[in-house]
């Protein structure tokens, strides 16, 4: 019964998207520029918070060989 109600909600959502022409709004050129800029900013923030991948700390011990000391 949950899946039937879920599909009804999905179809109502699709009807709203088609009726109000939301795809036409997303297809505008300025929206593409804004969305790509937002994605680039979020990647920059993620790199600043979590650090760049494959970046090794200099002078530290390798985690694989830490038990050999």
């Amino acid at each position: 019964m949950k899946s039937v109600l879920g599909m009804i909600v999905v179809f109502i959502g699709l009807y709203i998207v088609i009726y109000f022409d939301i795809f036409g709004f997303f297809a505008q050129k300025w929206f593409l520029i804004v969305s790509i800029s937002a994605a680039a900013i979020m990647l920059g923030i993620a790199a600043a918070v979590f650090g760049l991948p494959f970046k090794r700390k200099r002078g530290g011990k390798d985690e694989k060989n830490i038990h050999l000391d």
Side-chain angles (χ1 to χ4, degrees):
M1 189 65 178
K2 279 189 193 177
S3 62
V4 173
L5 292 175
M7 288 307 297
I8 290 172
V9 170
V10 167
F11 284 124
I12 290 172
L14 286 174
Y15 177 76
I16 291 170
V17 165
I18 292 169
Y19 183 76
F20 289 108
D21 195 29
I22 294 175
F23 289 131
F25 173 72
F26 289 145
Q28 295 178 11
K29 189 171 185 170
W30 66 268
F31 192 82
L32 175 67
I33 294 169
V34 168
S35 61
I36 290 175
S37 301
I41 290 170
M42 289 301 136
L43 282 174
I45 291 172
V49 170
F50 298 118
L52 294 174
F54 311 114
K55 184 178 178 183
R56 292 189 179 192
K57 296 179 182 177
R58 295 182 186 243
K61 294 183 179 180
D62 191 11
E63 291 182 11
K64 293 179 186 174
N65 298 328
I66 203 161
H67 65 282
L68 296 177
D69 289 338

